Amino acid sequence: MKICCVCGARPNFMKISAVIAAAEPQPELECVLVHTGQHYDERMSKLMFKDLGLPRPDFNLEVGSASHAVQTAEVMVRFEPVLVDLQPDLVLVVGDVNSSLACSLVAVKLGVPVGHVEAGLRSFDRGMPEELNRVATDALSDLLFVSEASGVDNLRREGAPQDNVFFVGNVMIDTLLRNRHRAEESRVLERVGVEPGDYAVLTLHRPSNVDDPATLGGLIDALEEISLRFPVVFPVHPRTVQRLDELGLRERLHGIPGIRLIEPQGYLDFLKLMADARLVLTDSGGIQEEATVLRVPCLTLRRNTERPATLESGWNRLVGTDRREVLAGFEAVIGTPTGASTAPELWDGRAGERIARVLIELGVPGLRRLQAARGIAPSSGPGPLPD
Ligand code: UD1
């Protein structure tokens, strides 16, 4: 089975890495790696590839940054000829970024089966671009690989055929567990000048948090107060750097002694930063999951999460962006953390293996059967490019 594995943005790299690692030893599975180039910086992409030991992509579409429409369309335009040329048996997309949606749409229209890793997650907030990408990608996909129980319920409610849904666990956690010992060797704490268990680590990049001056200003107020208790280490995402400049907030942030602004970190350094932190503050999706498994209290600076298993574990708490609520959440978790001692179901480091097993057991005829169950007439593969 020839599998075209797609990745595009930073959180995709650790997910696809788990799938490739599990497929590699299997003679029945051949992976071809396509990087769309949605993230392209040295620190957002190349460093991640290096840390994760990912092979050099077979194709790099180099789409770069643009508006949602232009970026999504550009991925589609550049992916189509690659797919026609490759003639894979399956396109595998991960996560919820623009690249995931763009490549699924191209594939289904060419009659190539699509597998979505991390299917079924829902924040029920259509103001988030990722939620739109999730709903649309799942509607298009033939194989729905689900990371947590809520995903199975959501897909059932939306009417996905049950034969197409596979509860396999969380590939992001596979990668975390596989790399945890390597991360122990990182010297990032010394470089930043913090002590284990005595700092918070912060990430912030969601448009809803960083594009609005009032929201971002309120968050900075809350973070300043937290930084009086212990240092807050803040690797700043490029989008956030831009917004801080545009909104004239960079100086204010620089003026707060307890907040340590650093560049985006590689996978291993960031893993070490999270693992040794007293507290994680984030608006990311994946970091909520990683903190849960590392058993570090996490305050999620959002009103909702598509990952309720992290809340049920007790390690994650939604605190929104209002200064008072963030500080109340901080006081609540900083005393005695009371999370579960076991990880959510199937977050055991073997999700990639389960995906590989499903693919081997299905074989190409099985993929075509699942395509038919979705209402797509099986075809002999991608046709020629239109003029
Ligand atoms: C994207 C994903 C988001 C994911 C996040 C992780 C979508 C809709 N969003 O958001 O789900 O959580 O990645 O980081 O797909 N930029 C650089 N260098 C880079 C990449 C981006 O400077 O390598 C800057 C660009 O100016 C760009 C901005 O960051 O305009 C945003 O990048 P983009 O890929 O559009 O979205 P993210 O906010 O990173």
Side-chain angles (χ1 to χ4, degrees), residues 11 38-41 65 68 97-98 130 205 237-239 242:
Q38 176 173 345
H39 283 174
Y40 45 85
D41 272 5
S65 303
H68 284 276
V97 304
N98 289 342
E130 294 80 6
H205 75 282
H237 188 285
R239 158 189 273 282
Q242 277 173 14

Side-chain angles (χ1 to χ4, degrees), residues 268-279:
L268 297 172
D269 286 340
F270 190 70
L271 183 49
K272 173 72 174 168
L273 272 175
M274 274 191 297
D276 283 5
R278 174 89 176 268
L279 173 73

Side-chain angles (χ1 to χ4, degrees), residues 118-122 145-155 165-171 285 288-289 292 305-312 316 344-347 351:
E118 211 181 78
L121 297 183
R122 297 289 179 267
F145 293 114
V146 180
S147 57
E148 63 163 80
S150 71
V152 176
D153 297 340
N154 293 332
L155 290 169
V165 176
F166 302 90
F167 182 22
V168 291
N170 192 324
V171 287
Q288 297 171 53
E289 297 179 339
T292 295
T305 179
E306 58 288 335
R307 292 159 158 93
T310 62
L311 302 178
E312 287 151 20
N316 185 24
E345 192 181 354
L346 301 188
W347 292 18

